[in-house]
């Protein structure tokens, strides 16, 4: 089974976005050496806790600072942009780093309605056009001229970055199947119904200019430490952060576990943490390996994308290292 990484460039409490990007760079180098398969960075806007608002820029930086690992987006929020412009940006990346670039896309807003308004010159994106945008994007990436206007996405080269459609529902799965794209299910967003969505994708897949067979993976929150007790302690930061986001609190970073572990949960909040743990795998290396293998079997995929947010950063590096070693053993 292949292990990959989703990095949302989290800003830890007491740190700043520059620290987050330095950690993103260090983590990419680290997992490249550990043998991880791919490394995706996300797109979020107008938030203080996640630094990555321009993933295509980060992709260029990370590809230049790594040697073997695939680098991509998880993902570009396509309804905000021109499919042609996105295609050209990723044709540049593919030409610079042939065979190492992924183009993950989604249709989520990436922020509150005011963010959508700002991203679209004082209007709102028409998400109903998303399927047509994806068709257009895939055509441009593969040297086609979808509107017969004598327009090609340049620079042209022998390879094209694969399009991965990101989603957390059966609707997104069916759309990816109909369009013949690869599909990544965000289990870290929705811990329920993902296996049915992946089945729907595979059962309805239609071949495309990009690929002849379905290809899927699943992303999940993971906290791995030497002992289960220490992993639970580290996971308290993510427990509290997710809970605060659900309660409408302003995103202000991820607290250290010595603070988060002392949070006075109400009965209702404890239940929400329990529910949110459906989106997470927490434990020692043997436990995490077993649960990830079970998750892969349930989804019928051969790749898990690991999203680990731990404060301090050194424990985050260690988590990815312990996980890689567990799968090599």
């Amino acid at each position: 089974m292949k292990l990959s990484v989703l990095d949302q460039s989290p800003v830890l409490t007491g740190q700043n976005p520059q620290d987050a990007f330095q950690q993103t760079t260090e983590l990419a180098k680290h997992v490249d050496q550990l043998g991880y398969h791919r490394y995706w960075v996300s797109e979020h806007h107008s938030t203080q806790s996640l630094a990555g608002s321009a993933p295509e820029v980060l992709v260029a930086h990370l590809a230049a600072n790594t040697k073997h690992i695939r680098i991509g987006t998880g993902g570009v929020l396509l309804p905000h942009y021109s499919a042609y412009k996105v295609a050209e940006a990723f044709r540049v990346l593919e030409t610079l780093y042939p065979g190492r670039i992924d183009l993950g896309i989604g249709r989520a807003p990436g922020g509150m309605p005011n963010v959508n308004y700002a991203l679209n010159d004082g209007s709102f994106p028409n998400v109903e056009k998303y399927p047509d945008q994806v068709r257009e994007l895939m055509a441009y990436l593969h040297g086609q001229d979808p509107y017969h206007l004598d327009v090609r996405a340049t620079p042209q080269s022998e390879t094209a970055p694969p399009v991965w459609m990101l989603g957390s529902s059966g609707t997104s799965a069916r759309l990816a199947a109909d369009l013949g794209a690869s599909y990544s299910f965000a289990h870290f967003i929705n811990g329920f119904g993902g296996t049915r969505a992946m089945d729907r994708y595979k059962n309805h897949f239609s071949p495309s200019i990009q690929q002849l067979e379905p290809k899927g993976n699943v992303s999940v929150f993971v906290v791995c430490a030497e002992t289960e007790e220490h992993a639970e302690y580290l996971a308290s930061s993510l427990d509290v952060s997710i809970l605060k986001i659900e309660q409408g609190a302003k995103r202000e970073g991820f607290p250290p576990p010595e603070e988060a572990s002392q949070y006075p949960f109400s009965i209702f909040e404890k239940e929400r943490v329990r529910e949110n743990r459906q989106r997470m795998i927490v434990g020692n290396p043997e436990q995490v390996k077993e649960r990830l293998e079970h998750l892969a079997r349930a989804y019928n995929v051969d790749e898990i994308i690991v999203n680990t947010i731990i404060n301090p950063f050194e424990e985050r590096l260690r988590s990815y290292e312990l996980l890689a070693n567990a799968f090599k053993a």
Side-chain angles (χ1 to χ4, degrees):
M1 188 176 76
K2 295 187 288 290
L3 293 176
S4 297
V5 176
L6 172 63
D7 182 5
Q8 296 178 289
S9 299
V11 180
L12 305 181
T13 298
Q15 298 187 355
N16 58 46
Q18 185 176 9
D19 296 321
F21 286 144
Q22 289 175 344
Q23 291 164 6
T24 285
T25 305
E26 185 175 346
L27 179 60
K29 292 179 179 179
H30 185 60
V31 297
D32 188 21
Q33 294 173 348
L34 290 172
Y36 280 76
H37 181 57
R38 69 178 93 240
Y39 194 100
W40 285 356
V41 289
S42 59
E43 177 176 343
H44 296 273
H45 298 281
S46 192
T47 172
Q48 301 301 312
S49 62
L50 302 172
S53 57
E56 66 280 6
V57 177
L58 266 181
V59 166
H61 171 72
L62 296 175
N65 281 275
T66 52
K67 296 180 179 179
H68 307 291
I69 195 168
R70 297 188 65 89
I71 305 292
T73 52
V76 170
L77 305 180
L78 190 60
H80 296 307
Y81 312 115
S82 155
Y84 178 70
K85 178 59 179 176
V86 173
E88 290 210 312
F90 279 79
R91 287 239 50 91
V92 169
L93 290 167
E94 180 69 18
T95 303
L96 288 169
Y97 308 100
R100 291 186 57 209
I101 302 299
D102 294 326
L103 173 48
I105 59 172
R107 60 179 165 187
M112 299 300 287
N114 56 337
V115 171
N116 295 337
Y117 189 81
L119 281 169
N120 290 273
D121 264 347
S123 61
F124 292 95
N126 184 356
V127 295
E128 299 300 323
K129 293 183 178 180
Y130 181 63
D132 291 333
Q133 280 191 294
V134 178
R135 293 187 185 94
E136 181 183 343
L137 175 65
M138 292 175 68
Y140 281 130
L141 286 170
H142 289 270
Q144 295 185 345
D145 178 13
Y147 295 111
H148 308 290
L149 298 174
D150 193 26
V151 173
R152 300 290 193 281
T154 56
Q156 296 185 28
S157 61
E158 295 181 357
T159 59
V163 170
W164 285 80
M165 296 183 68
L166 282 54
S168 56
S169 70
T171 301
S172 60
R174 181 57 191 266
L175 181 58
D178 291 342
L179 297 178
S182 296
Y183 181 61
S184 182
F185 188 86
H187 189 92
F188 75 99
I189 293 176
N190 179 10
F192 302 94
T195 56
R196 292 192 300 272
M198 189 62 71
D199 286 343
R200 189 178 188 187
Y201 164 69
K202 293 190 173 184
N203 292 336
H204 293 89
F205 181 83
S206 297
S208 67
I209 189 175
Q210 174 173 289
Q211 62 197 73
L212 300 178
E213 301 290 338
K215 187 174 184 179
N217 62 37
V218 56
S219 53
V220 61
F221 282 126
V222 173
V223 177
C224 185
E226 282 85 353
T227 67
E228 181 180 9
E229 181 181 14
H230 191 52
E232 289 289 341
Y233 174 70
L234 294 174
S236 64
S237 297
L238 192 55
D239 288 335
V240 171
S241 296
I242 293 175
L243 181 65
K244 290 299 184 181
I245 291 169
E246 290 179 337
Q247 293 174 342
K250 186 177 180 181
R251 292 175 180 256
E252 294 182 341
F254 295 86
E258 56 266 28
E259 174 187 326
S261 62
Q262 300 302 312
Y263 183 87
F265 293 104
S266 68
I267 295 176
F268 173 77
E269 288 174 330
K270 287 180 180 179
E271 178 62 21
R272 284 306 308 155
V273 169
R274 189 187 69 81
E275 289 290 324
N276 286 332
R277 282 297 185 96
Q278 299 299 314
R279 301 148 58 183
M280 303 166 61
I281 293 177
V282 179
N284 64 42
E286 293 75 19
Q287 292 171 324
V288 171
K289 179 177 184 286
E290 180 181 354
R291 293 168 190 171
L292 287 178
E293 289 176 335
H294 176 77
L295 188 70
R297 288 193 296 270
Y299 275 86
N300 191 24
V301 297
D302 65 357
E303 180 184 6
I304 299 288
I305 299 186
V306 176
N307 183 359
T308 296
I309 299 177
I310 296 176
N311 186 349
F313 176 64
E314 292 73 22
E315 294 276 16
R316 190 175 177 213
L317 292 175
R318 182 61 175 155
S319 180
Y320 279 108
E321 182 178 350
L322 289 170
L323 186 56
N325 291 338
F327 275 87
K328 292 175 183 176

